[in-house]
PDB file of all heavy atoms in Angstrom:
ATOM      1  N   CYS A 108      27.283 175.930  41.531  1.00 94.00           N
ATOM      2  CA  CYS A 108      26.974 175.998  42.964  1.00 94.00           C
ATOM      3  C   CYS A 108      27.705 174.900  43.733  1.00 94.00           C
ATOM      4  O   CYS A 108      28.038 173.855  43.182  1.00 94.00           O
ATOM      5  CB  CYS A 108      25.473 175.854  43.186  1.00 94.00           C
ATOM      6  SG  CYS A 108      24.510 177.232  42.538  1.00 94.00           S
ATOM      7  N   GLN A 109      27.915 175.152  45.017  1.00 95.00           N
ATOM      8  CA  GLN A 109      28.563 174.194  45.904  1.00 95.00           C
ATOM      9  C   GLN A 109      27.643 173.925  47.088  1.00 95.00           C
ATOM     10  O   GLN A 109      27.049 174.851  47.640  1.00 95.00           O
ATOM     11  CB  GLN A 109      29.900 174.725  46.430  1.00 95.00           C
ATOM     12  CG  GLN A 109      30.929 175.039  45.366  1.00 95.00           C
ATOM     13  CD  GLN A 109      30.704 176.392  44.728  1.00 95.00           C
ATOM     14  OE1 GLN A 109      30.300 177.333  45.380  1.00 95.00           O
ATOM     15  NE2 GLN A 109      30.958 176.481  43.425  1.00 95.00           N
ATOM     16  N   LEU A 110      27.574 172.667  47.467  1.00 96.00           N
ATOM     17  CA  LEU A 110      26.787 172.270  48.628  1.00 96.00           C
ATOM     18  C   LEU A 110      27.735 171.746  49.699  1.00 96.00           C
ATOM     19  O   LEU A 110      28.411 170.743  49.506  1.00 96.00           O
ATOM     20  CB  LEU A 110      25.771 171.183  48.266  1.00 96.00           C
ATOM     21  CG  LEU A 110      24.858 170.731  49.409  1.00 96.00           C
ATOM     22  CD1 LEU A 110      23.881 171.850  49.783  1.00 96.00           C
ATOM     23  CD2 LEU A 110      24.090 169.473  49.028  1.00 96.00           C
ATOM     24  N   GLY A 111      27.802 172.457  50.798  1.00 97.00           N
ATOM     25  CA  GLY A 111      28.581 172.026  51.949  1.00 97.00           C
ATOM     26  C   GLY A 111      27.625 171.752  53.106  1.00 97.00           C
ATOM     27  O   GLY A 111      26.409 171.880  52.961  1.00 97.00           O
ATOM     28  N   ALA A 112      28.187 171.380  54.238  1.00 98.00           N
ATOM     29  CA  ALA A 112      27.314 171.090  55.382  1.00 98.00           C
ATOM     30  C   ALA A 112      28.070 171.138  56.688  1.00 98.00           C
ATOM     31  O   ALA A 112      29.291 170.980  56.728  1.00 98.00           O
ATOM     32  CB  ALA A 112      26.679 169.707  55.206  1.00 98.00           C
ATOM     33  N   LYS A 113      27.312 171.367  57.737  1.00 98.00           N
ATOM     34  CA  LYS A 113      27.787 171.201  59.106  1.00 98.00           C
ATOM     35  C   LYS A 113      27.011 170.022  59.673  1.00 98.00           C
ATOM     36  O   LYS A 113      25.787 170.030  59.689  1.00 98.00           O
ATOM     37  CB  LYS A 113      27.523 172.446  59.940  1.00 98.00           C
ATOM     38  CG  LYS A 113      28.358 173.636  59.537  1.00 98.00           C
ATOM     39  CD  LYS A 113      28.130 174.781  60.500  1.00 98.00           C
ATOM     40  CE  LYS A 113      28.764 176.071  60.063  1.00 98.00           C
ATOM     41  NZ  LYS A 113      30.124 176.080  59.757  1.00 98.00           N
ATOM     42  N   VAL A 114      27.737 169.004  60.094  1.00 98.00           N
ATOM     43  CA  VAL A 114      27.113 167.807  60.658  1.00 98.00           C
ATOM     44  C   VAL A 114      27.141 167.964  62.177  1.00 98.00           C
ATOM     45  O   VAL A 114      28.207 168.036  62.775  1.00 98.00           O
ATOM     46  CB  VAL A 114      27.863 166.529  60.223  1.00 98.00           C
ATOM     47  CG1 VAL A 114      27.192 165.292  60.794  1.00 98.00           C
ATOM     48  CG2 VAL A 114      27.952 166.454  58.703  1.00 98.00           C
ATOM     49  N   HIS A 115      25.966 168.046  62.783  1.00 97.00           N
ATOM     50  CA  HIS A 115      25.863 168.302  64.220  1.00 97.00           C
ATOM     51  C   HIS A 115      25.865 167.017  65.052  1.00 97.00           C
ATOM     52  O   HIS A 115      26.402 166.990  66.150  1.00 97.00           O
ATOM     53  CB  HIS A 115      24.595 169.101  64.531  1.00 97.00           C
ATOM     54  CG  HIS A 115      24.480 170.346  63.720  1.00 97.00           C
ATOM     55  ND1 HIS A 115      25.260 171.458  63.933  1.00 97.00           N
ATOM     56  CD2 HIS A 115      23.691 170.639  62.666  1.00 97.00           C
ATOM     57  CE1 HIS A 115      24.945 172.394  63.058  1.00 97.00           C
ATOM     58  NE2 HIS A 115      23.994 171.923  62.271  1.00 97.00           N
ATOM     59  N   MET A 116      25.220 165.979  64.519  1.00 96.00           N
ATOM     60  CA  MET A 116      25.166 164.721  65.260  1.00 96.00           C
ATOM     61  C   MET A 116      24.968 163.559  64.293  1.00 96.00           C
ATOM     62  O   MET A 116      24.214 163.657  63.331  1.00 96.00           O
ATOM     63  CB  MET A 116      24.030 164.719  66.288  1.00 96.00           C
ATOM     64  CG  MET A 116      23.999 163.435  67.121  1.00 96.00           C
ATOM     65  SD  MET A 116      22.907 163.441  68.567  1.00 96.00           S
ATOM     66  CE  MET A 116      21.325 163.852  67.873  1.00 96.00           C
ATOM     67  N   VAL A 117      25.674 162.481  64.588  1.00 96.00           N
ATOM     68  CA  VAL A 117      25.485 161.195  63.916  1.00 96.00           C
ATOM     69  C   VAL A 117      25.367 160.201  65.061  1.00 96.00           C
ATOM     70  O   VAL A 117      26.287 160.069  65.868  1.00 96.00           O
ATOM     71  CB  VAL A 117      26.686 160.857  63.005  1.00 96.00           C
ATOM     72  CG1 VAL A 117      26.503 159.481  62.392  1.00 96.00           C
ATOM     73  CG2 VAL A 117      26.866 161.918  61.927  1.00 96.00           C
ATOM     74  N   ALA A 118      24.218 159.542  65.171  1.00 95.00           N
ATOM     75  CA  ALA A 118      23.975 158.726  66.360  1.00 95.00           C
ATOM     76  C   ALA A 118      23.275 157.421  66.010  1.00 95.00           C
ATOM     77  O   ALA A 118      22.585 157.301  64.996  1.00 95.00           O
ATOM     78  CB  ALA A 118      23.127 159.515  67.361  1.00 95.00           C
ATOM     79  N   TRP A 119      23.475 156.457  66.911  1.00 92.00           N
ATOM     80  CA  TRP A 119      22.801 155.174  66.846  1.00 92.00           C
ATOM     81  C   TRP A 119      22.055 154.977  68.154  1.00 92.00           C
ATOM     82  O   TRP A 119      22.627 155.157  69.236  1.00 92.00           O
ATOM     83  CB  TRP A 119      23.828 154.057  66.636  1.00 92.00           C
ATOM     84  CG  TRP A 119      23.226 152.703  66.443  1.00 92.00           C
ATOM     85  CD1 TRP A 119      22.541 152.256  65.362  1.00 92.00           C
ATOM     86  CD2 TRP A 119      23.265 151.613  67.371  1.00 92.00           C
ATOM     87  NE1 TRP A 119      22.151 150.952  65.546  1.00 92.00           N
ATOM     88  CE2 TRP A 119      22.584 150.537  66.776  1.00 92.00           C
ATOM     89  CE3 TRP A 119      23.806 151.449  68.639  1.00 92.00           C
ATOM     90  CZ2 TRP A 119      22.430 149.316  67.403  1.00 92.00           C
ATOM     91  CZ3 TRP A 119      23.653 150.232  69.260  1.00 92.00           C
ATOM     92  CH2 TRP A 119      22.971 149.172  68.648  1.00 92.00           C
ATOM     93  N   ASP A 120      20.773 154.644  68.048  1.00 90.00           N
ATOM     94  CA  ASP A 120      19.940 154.434  69.228  1.00 90.00           C
ATOM     95  C   ASP A 120      20.084 152.991  69.685  1.00 90.00           C
ATOM     96  O   ASP A 120      19.716 152.052  68.971  1.00 90.00           O
ATOM     97  CB  ASP A 120      18.481 154.747  68.899  1.00 90.00           C
ATOM     98  CG  ASP A 120      17.616 154.838  70.140  1.00 90.00           C
ATOM     99  OD1 ASP A 120      17.751 153.978  71.037  1.00 90.00           O
ATOM    100  OD2 ASP A 120      16.806 155.781  70.223  1.00 90.00           O
ATOM    101  N   ALA A 121      20.632 152.808  70.872  1.00 85.00           N
ATOM    102  CA  ALA A 121      20.930 151.475  71.396  1.00 85.00           C
ATOM    103  C   ALA A 121      19.676 150.678  71.731  1.00 85.00           C
ATOM    104  O   ALA A 121      19.726 149.456  71.809  1.00 85.00           O
ATOM    105  CB  ALA A 121      21.809 151.590  72.638  1.00 85.00           C
ATOM    106  N   VAL A 122      18.541 151.331  71.907  1.00 84.00           N
ATOM    107  CA  VAL A 122      17.315 150.623  72.269  1.00 84.00           C
ATOM    108  C   VAL A 122      16.672 149.951  71.062  1.00 84.00           C
ATOM    109  O   VAL A 122      16.313 148.790  71.104  1.00 84.00           O
ATOM    110  CB  VAL A 122      16.307 151.582  72.946  1.00 84.00           C
ATOM    111  CG1 VAL A 122      14.970 150.899  73.160  1.00 84.00           C
ATOM    112  CG2 VAL A 122      16.853 152.090  74.260  1.00 84.00           C
ATOM    113  N   ASP A 123      16.539 150.695  69.971  1.00 84.00           N
ATOM    114  CA  ASP A 123      15.802 150.153  68.828  1.00 84.00           C
ATOM    115  C   ASP A 123      16.612 150.076  67.533  1.00 84.00           C
ATOM    116  O   ASP A 123      16.081 149.681  66.499  1.00 84.00           O
ATOM    117  CB  ASP A 123      14.518 150.943  68.588  1.00 84.00           C
ATOM    118  CG  ASP A 123      14.770 152.431  68.456  1.00 84.00           C
ATOM    119  OD1 ASP A 123      15.927 152.830  68.233  1.00 84.00           O
ATOM    120  OD2 ASP A 123      13.795 153.203  68.579  1.00 84.00           O
ATOM    121  N   GLY A 124      17.868 150.459  67.566  1.00 85.00           N
ATOM    122  CA  GLY A 124      18.714 150.368  66.384  1.00 85.00           C
ATOM    123  C   GLY A 124      18.506 151.470  65.366  1.00 85.00           C
ATOM    124  O   GLY A 124      19.044 151.408  64.263  1.00 85.00           O
ATOM    125  N   ASP A 125      17.712 152.489  65.711  1.00 90.00           N
ATOM    126  CA  ASP A 125      17.495 153.600  64.794  1.00 90.00           C
ATOM    127  C   ASP A 125      18.777 154.402  64.623  1.00 90.00           C
ATOM    128  O   ASP A 125      19.625 154.448  65.518  1.00 90.00           O
ATOM    129  CB  ASP A 125      16.385 154.531  65.306  1.00 90.00           C
ATOM    130  CG  ASP A 125      15.023 153.876  65.297  1.00 90.00           C
ATOM    131  OD1 ASP A 125      14.902 152.764  64.744  1.00 90.00           O
ATOM    132  OD2 ASP A 125      14.083 154.468  65.842  1.00 90.00           O
ATOM    133  N   THR A 126      18.914 155.040  63.474  1.00 93.00           N
ATOM    134  CA  THR A 126      20.066 155.892  63.213  1.00 93.00           C
ATOM    135  C   THR A 126      19.588 157.326  63.009  1.00 93.00           C
ATOM    136  O   THR A 126      18.503 157.556  62.463  1.00 93.00           O
ATOM    137  CB  THR A 126      20.855 155.419  61.984  1.00 93.00           C
ATOM    138  OG1 THR A 126      19.960 155.249  60.881  1.00 93.00           O
ATOM    139  CG2 THR A 126      21.569 154.118  62.264  1.00 93.00           C
ATOM    140  N   VAL A 127      20.403 158.277  63.448  1.00 95.00           N
ATOM    141  CA  VAL A 127      20.048 159.696  63.403  1.00 95.00           C
ATOM    142  C   VAL A 127      21.201 160.473  62.791  1.00 95.00           C
ATOM    143  O   VAL A 127      22.359 160.262  63.154  1.00 95.00           O
ATOM    144  CB  VAL A 127      19.763 160.244  64.820  1.00 95.00           C
ATOM    145  CG1 VAL A 127      19.443 161.735  64.770  1.00 95.00           C
ATOM    146  CG2 VAL A 127      18.650 159.478  65.494  1.00 95.00           C
ATOM    147  N   VAL A 128      20.883 161.381  61.871  1.00 97.00           N
ATOM    148  CA  VAL A 128      21.851 162.355  61.390  1.00 97.00           C
ATOM    149  C   VAL A 128      21.207 163.737  61.494  1.00 97.00           C
ATOM    150  O   VAL A 128      20.033 163.908  61.177  1.00 97.00           O
ATOM    151  CB  VAL A 128      22.335 162.086  59.945  1.00 97.00           C
ATOM    152  CG1 VAL A 128      23.138 160.804  59.859  1.00 97.00           C
ATOM    153  CG2 VAL A 128      21.194 162.067  58.960  1.00 97.00           C
TER     154      VAL A 128
END
Side-chain angles (χ1 to χ4, degrees):
C108 293
Q109 300 81 36
L110 182 69
K113 291 186 188 306
V114 181
H115 307 287
M116 183 169 56
V117 176
W119 185 71
D120 192 316
V122 173
D123 53 17
D125 293 351
T126 51
V127 178
V128 294

